Amino acid sequence: MVSVAYLTEEQARIYLERQDMTLTEDIGVNINSPGRYSSFAHVIRATVPKGRRIAISFNQQKSSDWVSPFTGSVTFEQEVLGVIILDRELDQSDSLRAPGTIYATGERFRGLEFPGTPGAKRGYDTITVEPDKRRITIPLGLGPYPGQIRNLTAAEP
């Protein structure tokens, strides 16, 4: 179960990609611990290990010419095991998607953009994983590219 608090559905959406899936390979993630992530210096390269039962959800901020940032939050019933926020790992994890779903695999700027992202149009995204590892807060800047985030949570018992 996921609880979502965005300003409007026109700005961003979240949907469940998979539920109760057992990973057949290690999956690279950019965040696996609580904290506020607002630059490349904060982002890590970690994995959720093969054999782990997970649920996968996907957040997508809508692209827009409107440049005012907004904040949304997502609360999960189960622990967040990892969050994928960068283009490369989003592309690599697209194999986890629901059958028949098409993503922007290979397109630039689909993940979050931090200050210093070459060619970035937004440049002021941040994400916070709360200490309980069940809530993610996402202040995003709107721009011409959609911001996408993939969340891996523990499967329901």
Side-chain angles (χ1 to χ4, degrees), residues 2-150:
V2 177
S3 171
V4 181
Y6 282 117
L7 290 179
T8 70
E9 200 169 280
E10 287 75 41
Q11 291 174 322
R13 293 177 185 224
I14 183 170
Y15 60 93
L16 185 63
E17 290 183 295
R18 293 286 185 104
Q19 196 169 350
D20 197 23
M21 175 186 186
T22 300
L23 291 175
T24 58
E25 61 186 11
D26 292 349
I27 298 298
V29 297
N30 305 117
I31 297 170
N32 69 351
S33 60
R36 182 175 184 272
Y37 300 84
S38 60
S39 77
F40 290 112
H42 299 139
V43 175
I44 61 158
R45 301 229 188 271
T47 60
V48 176
K50 172 183 173 178
R52 182 71 196 242
R53 286 182 48 242
I54 64 168
I56 307 163
S57 61
F58 192 78
N59 302 53
Q60 178 162 327
Q61 163 208 328
K62 299 265 185 118
S63 57
S64 170
D65 290 331
W66 183 50
V67 294
S68 297
F70 71 97
T71 298
S73 65
V74 182
T75 303
F76 300 93
E77 284 188 10
Q78 304 301 319
E79 177 184 354
V80 174
L81 304 173
V83 183
I84 302 171
I85 61 171
L86 299 180
D87 294 350
R88 182 175 76 177
E89 286 80 6
L90 283 165
D91 288 348
Q92 292 170 347
S93 64
D94 280 347
S95 62
L96 302 173
R97 69 182 172 257
T101 307
I102 299 171
Y103 292 110
T105 305
E107 289 188 21
R108 293 180 64 199
F109 309 121
R110 64 182 286 213
L112 298 189
E113 296 173 17
F114 297 127
T117 301
K121 301 295 182 188
R122 292 189 315 263
Y124 42 77
D125 294 332
T126 62
I127 182 170
T128 301
V129 177
E130 301 298 333
D132 67 0
K133 292 187 77 176
R134 288 185 174 11
R135 181 180 171 99
I136 297 173
T137 303
I138 312 162
L140 296 168
L142 291 175
Y145 303 106
Q148 298 178 341
I149 300 166
R150 183 167 281 125

